[in-house]
Amino acid sequence: MNIIHTPQMKDMILFMAERIIESKPLLTEVDSRIGDGDHGIGMAVGFTAVKEKLAGEEYSDINQLFRQTGMAMLGSMGGASGVIFSSVFLGAVKGMEVKECVDTKEFAQMMRKGLDTVKQRGGAQPGDKTMVDALEPACDAMDSCEGTSFGELFQRAFDAAKKGVEATKNYPAKFGRAKCLMERAIGFQDAGATSVMLMFGAFLEWVKKEKANE
């Protein structure tokens, strides 16, 4: 698969939303070790809202699809997670010309714009023990995927995000409740970074499913 059209993108986002909702216990457990323990709940609420918003709608372009995804999360999650994770989708299509389909290069560019928006709004940088520690490596990995398939794109992104999650275990936290733990947060992975890894894992799983059904 080298091109994803709008209906396919909608299906992929819905598939990813379901996987995130299913991961609520895992994300809650990860977050409870150094945070408030509510990250899994917030992500499940946000992506349940995404499912409810997208399921009965038809979209003519990817821009509108991503905006509605982001707004559903922003309007339902609240708090920092709602702002930050919605920024991935809202930032991805901000100022982008209307597109009915995207190739791997264009998708990588969208994710880079989403990352830039997250960093601008949240202020986090790599090494701060946040979702940026998974999203930035994933974007870096996708930058070199021009001309490849979406299967290869998402495999590289997932592998890089997974390494980013592992790396968060080595960092003290600079944001959220975990910030108060300082060095005691070392040894535990970040919940937001884990969510990013799960997102790309779901994208990869969706592509493999589509290929198997061809």
Side-chain angles (χ1 to χ4, degrees), residues 74 83-84 86-87 90-91 94 116-124:
L74 184 62
V83 173
I84 295 303
S86 66
S87 293
L90 296 173
K94 185 176 181 180
D116 290 343
T117 303
V118 166
K119 292 167 72 174
Q120 290 167 6
R121 291 187 177 173

Side-chain angles (χ1 to χ4, degrees), residues 47-137:
F47 279 105
T48 296
V50 169
K51 285 182 61 179
E52 292 173 352
K53 178 62 181 178
L54 301 190
E57 300 288 339
E58 293 186 7
Y59 297 92
S60 59
D61 57 75
I62 288 172
N63 308 58
Q64 184 184 24
L65 175 63
F66 267 59
R67 280 195 294 269
Q68 290 299 315
T69 298
M71 290 306 296
M73 297 177 73
L74 184 62
S76 61
M77 292 174 69
S81 290
V83 173
I84 295 303
F85 275 88
S86 66
S87 293
V88 176
F89 297 93
L90 296 173
V93 295
K94 185 176 181 180
M96 185 178 82
E97 64 179 88
V98 175
K99 293 183 181 294
E100 297 179 1
C101 61
V102 292
D103 58 21
T104 54
K105 179 181 179 180
E106 291 168 326
F107 188 87
Q109 291 171 339
M110 290 168 61
M111 290 295 98
R112 175 67 66 178
K113 288 176 61 180
L115 168 65
D116 290 343
T117 303
V118 166
K119 292 167 72 174
Q120 290 167 6
R121 291 187 177 173
Q125 297 295 323
D128 287 346
K129 207 181 185 80
T130 72
M131 58 100 78
V132 171
D133 290 306
L135 185 57
E136 182 148 302

Side-chain angles (χ1 to χ4, degrees), residues 1-3 104 145-155 207:
M1 180 181 290
N2 298 314
I3 298 289
T104 54
C145 283
E146 183 176 353
T148 62
S149 68
F150 271 96
E152 179 66 20
L153 182 82
F154 292 142
Q155 184 69 66
V207 169

Side-chain angles (χ1 to χ4, degrees), residues 127 129 163-173 183 185-189:
K129 207 181 185 80
K163 290 180 181 178
V165 170
E166 284 299 309
T168 63
K169 296 178 181 179
N170 301 319
Y171 308 143
E183 300 299 318
I186 294 176
F188 300 96
Q189 70 196 59

Side-chain angles (χ1 to χ4, degrees), residues 22-36:
E22 291 172 355
S23 299
K24 175 183 173 181
L26 169 64
L27 294 173
T28 298
E29 179 184 355
V30 170
D31 191 41
S32 65
R33 292 169 183 166
I34 56 173
D36 295 327

